[in-house]
Structures are given as structure tokens and as C-alpha cells.
Amino acid sequence: MTTSSAAGKRASQRRIAFATIIGTTIEWYDFFIYATSAGLVFAQLFFEPAGKEIALLLSFATVGISFLFRPLGAFLAGHFGDVIGRRAMLVVTLVLMGVATTLIGTLPTYSQIGITAPILLLLLRILQGLSAGGEWGGAVLMAVEHAPADRRGRAGSWPQLGVPLGFLLASGMTALMTGVISPGEAYLQWGWRVPFLVSIVLIVVGFVIRRSVEESPVFAEIAERGKQAGLPIVTLFRRHWHLVLLAALVFVGNGTLGYMTTGGFLNSYAISVGHLETTSVLLAAVFAAVVWFFSTLLAGYLADAIGRRSTFLIGFGLQAVIVFPVFWLVDAGGLPGLYVALLLISTGLGLTYGPLAAWYAEIFPASIRFSGVSITYAIGAVLGGAFAPMIAQMLLGATGTTAAVSAYLLLATLLGAGATLCLRDRRGIALGPDNEDEQAVGATVFASAAPAGEVAGQFAGTR
């Protein structure tokens, strides 16, 4: 490779990194601003006639219901991503999410139009779910499929960084509104709308950036040869259903704990049970997002250095240790205790999230890869994160103690760790369409692996 071509390739990879980070940050800002508002104001604005406790449950339920539509978004985006390309679906999902989020900011409340208000809120949340279900797969494949084999872990962590950044942006924007621009009653009256309306500006920025990147080289080669799968989803479930299930359970171990924070439950608990001030809790969430960002980045480097599987097991080990103490810290330690709890949670989350993109990309064959990673991720989100805040709230209400919530989180963590042990680390496997036969076998410990030395040789050859 000449100096100029190497420099051009590095510049292209930087553009892709920037585009995937910016795009996923905007997508997840939109997604998290809803979850944050669900824990703070939606119970009062859209579900108040149900009574305080039931209204909060209904508000958290709308967070979860959108997850039920993420698999549909993943099916649609996966099909068209494998047939017409990764880049096109990235643009479509970004615009869909932005439109839905902006419209939420314009909705009348229950006191203004009655039952129509929560129905419209739910419909727009479903559109957010469809978009989120399709966005992730395209973003991670653009990053991973452009990357050299020995740097896929860190490249795959780029779009993953958009999740903590989106959470940071959503929490920071809400803290700005509750603490500075529209404190107190003003936030309930109109301030909550501003973070949703800001989305329209972010979408324009994201649209321009994502349109500027090149198509994934893997898909470009598939398209050039006319090897697109006609029905990638059918092939996926006929030949790799067991792989989809195991990989989804890996994400369950991360998502269930993750949505204690990003789904609004821990914020709501700290405010209503711990009697902490709202803006202070939101600033603690900003701190959590920063920690999550750096632990995710670290996990990407660890995934390249010690492997995807080993990094996951370290993260799940940390999660298992902390699921009980985090609530004790909030109960006994007040605001400082909340910061320590969020530090522990966010570190574990990063270690079990950063390597996910590279590992998912390496376990599915090229022609059905978009469908595989998108649908697996969406199923994991449904089984893990979808109703985690609502389940936690129900467990807390039924038992009066967070011990039941911690036991629920521990169970999910152990499921994730168990599924991790069932999958092989495929670090360095060739991702192109010429290697589909190798890609299609050996991803689980229950199946025969590819011939010894093949993958290692390919990996060494990329250095």
C-alpha cells in the first residue's frame, strides 16, 4: 500500500468513526430523552387520572412497549440493509427517529385532549422503537466492516460510544431545563418539550454527515457480485436460530442493568425514595454517562488485546458483584452514594457493551450479517431492557425492598455470562463474502470450529 493510499484509508476510517458516533449519539439522545421524561413528567402529563403509582407504571410501560417494535424495525432494516446496503438504512432510521422525537415535543397533554394524548404518545414511541431497532446494525457494520481485522474491537466501540453520549446529552439537556431555564413548575408546563424539539436541529446535522460516508466494502463487494441474499431473514432463522438466541442473551445481561439507569428507574428511585433533588440526580446521570463512555472505549481496546469473550466475562463478573450494593449505596449514602453506585454500574456496562459490535459482526455470515446483528440486538433488548424499569418498579412496590430488584438484575447478569461461555471468540476472522463457508460454522462451542490455524493466520496477516 502506498503512503498516499494508506493516508486516504486512515482519513476514510476517521470519517466513518465520526459519522457513526455522531449518528448513534443523535439516535440515542432521542431515545433516552423519552426515557428520562417518562421517569420525571409523563406520569403527570399523560397518565395522571390513573393515580400516582399506576401512572408511573404506565409511563414506564410506554418505555418498554417501544422495544416490542424494535424487532420489526430490525427485520425491515436488516432485510433492506442486506439487499440495498448499509448506508441507506442509516439515513432512513436517523430521519424516522428525529421526526418522531420532534413530534413528541408538540403533543397536547391529557388535560388538553384526554385519552387521545397518551395514545399519540405511544404511537410516536413505537416509531422510535422501529427506528432504534434498525439503526444499530447499520452503524456497527459500517464501523466494523471498514476496519482492519486487528482493530475491529475499537472500531466497533465507536458507534457504541454514541449510546453513553446520547444519554449524557439527554441527561444534560434535561438538567439544564430543570435547573436553569425552566425550573419547578415551568418544566412541567413547557420546559420538558424543549429537549424533544431540539432533535430537529440534530437530525439535520446527522443526515448531512451520514450521507457523506462510503458504503461498507463488504456490502459493496456482495452487490458487485450480485450475491445479496433474497430472503436473508429466512436464511438467518433456518440456519442460525440458536446463534441468534445465545447472542441475544449476551445482550440481556447488559441491557437489564443498563436500563435501570437509562430507562429512568434509578433516577426515579433516587428522587422519590431517596428524596434527592431532581437536577442533582440528573447531573449524577451525566457523570454516569461520562464513565460509561470511557469504560466502553476501554472495552473496545481490551476486546482487541485479550478477546471479546474475556472482556465480556470480566464485565459480567463486576456486574454480579455490584447489583446488591448499588441500591444500598443510594439508600445509605445519599447523593455521594448515588455517584458511587453509578460509577460501578457504568463501568460494568461499558465492559459488557464495548465489544458487542465486533463480536456480533464476526459470528454472522456476510450475506445475512445486517439481519443477524440487528435482529439479535433487538431481541436482546426486548428480553433484557424493554420492561426492566417497569418490572423493577413492580418488584419494589410488591416487596417494599430493592433486594428483589437486585436479584432480578443478578439473574439477568448470570444469563448473559452463561451465554457468553457458549459462544466462541472469532477475533480476526475474515468478514468478506469469499469466506462465507467459514463464517457459517463454529460460532458456538457446540459446533465444530473452522480448521485450526485458518483464522489465526488471517488475523496475523492483517497486522
Side-chain angles (χ1 to χ4, degrees), residues 150-171:
D150 59 340
R151 297 180 184 175
R152 287 184 199 141
R154 68 194 80 174
S157 70
W158 296 334
Q160 304 294 76
L161 295 174
V163 182
L165 284 175
F167 185 49
L168 186 154
L169 192 59
S171 299

Side-chain angles (χ1 to χ4, degrees), residues 202-399:
L202 300 178
I203 293 305
V204 173
V205 174
F207 178 83
V208 172
I209 292 172
R210 282 200 164 172
R211 287 278 296 172
S212 69
V213 299
E214 298 174 0
E215 179 59 89
S216 156
V218 172
F219 180 80
E221 189 175 351
I222 291 172
E224 184 179 342
R225 299 180 183 187
K227 289 187 174 181
Q228 298 99 315
L231 293 171
I233 295 167
V234 174
T235 304
L236 175 70
F237 281 101
R238 187 173 69 241
R239 299 180 183 174
H240 305 286
W241 64 268
H242 57 295
L243 184 56
V244 171
L245 178 60
L246 287 172
L249 288 176
V250 171
F251 186 46
V252 167
N254 168 276
T256 306
L257 180 63
Y259 279 96
M260 289 299 99
T261 51
T262 60
F265 174 78
L266 195 59
N267 287 357
S268 179
Y269 178 83
I271 294 167
S272 60
V273 179
H275 304 293
L276 300 180
E277 195 265 330
T278 298
T279 302
S280 298
V281 171
L282 290 169
L283 290 175
V286 171
F287 164 78
V290 173
V291 176
W292 189 8
F293 175 91
F294 285 107
S295 62
T296 300
L297 188 63
L298 171 64
Y301 281 86
L302 284 176
D304 284 330
I306 65 174
R308 291 70 161 121
R309 194 168 183 251
S310 297
T311 306
F312 263 101
L313 291 174
I314 293 169
F316 282 135
L318 176 59
Q319 287 185 196
V321 170
I322 66 172
V323 289
F324 281 91
V326 290
F327 289 106
W328 301 339
L329 284 165
V330 176
D331 291 337
L335 189 60
L338 176 63
Y339 272 85
V340 176
L342 289 173
L343 171 65
L344 296 172
I345 290 173
S346 301
T347 302
L349 289 179
L351 292 174
T352 56
Y353 196 60
L356 193 69
W359 205 8
Y360 272 17
E362 289 167 340
I363 63 177
F364 291 105
S367 62
I368 59 169
R369 187 171 293 138
F370 199 131
S371 297
V373 300
S374 296
I375 291 168
T376 300
Y377 187 83
I379 292 173
V382 171
L383 296 177
F387 295 101
M390 189 181 77
I391 291 170
Q393 188 67 37
M394 290 173 65
L395 289 171
L396 181 64
T399 65

Side-chain angles (χ1 to χ4, degrees), residues 166-204:
F167 185 49
L168 186 154
L169 192 59
S171 299
M173 176 64 78
T174 308
L176 181 66
M177 298 307 299
T178 61
V180 180
I181 297 177
S182 56
E185 193 64 25
Y187 178 70
L188 193 63
Q189 290 177 350
W190 61 268
W192 68 272
R193 298 181 183 275
V194 175
F196 289 92
L197 297 175
V198 165
S199 178
I200 193 67
V201 178
L202 300 178
I203 293 305
V204 173

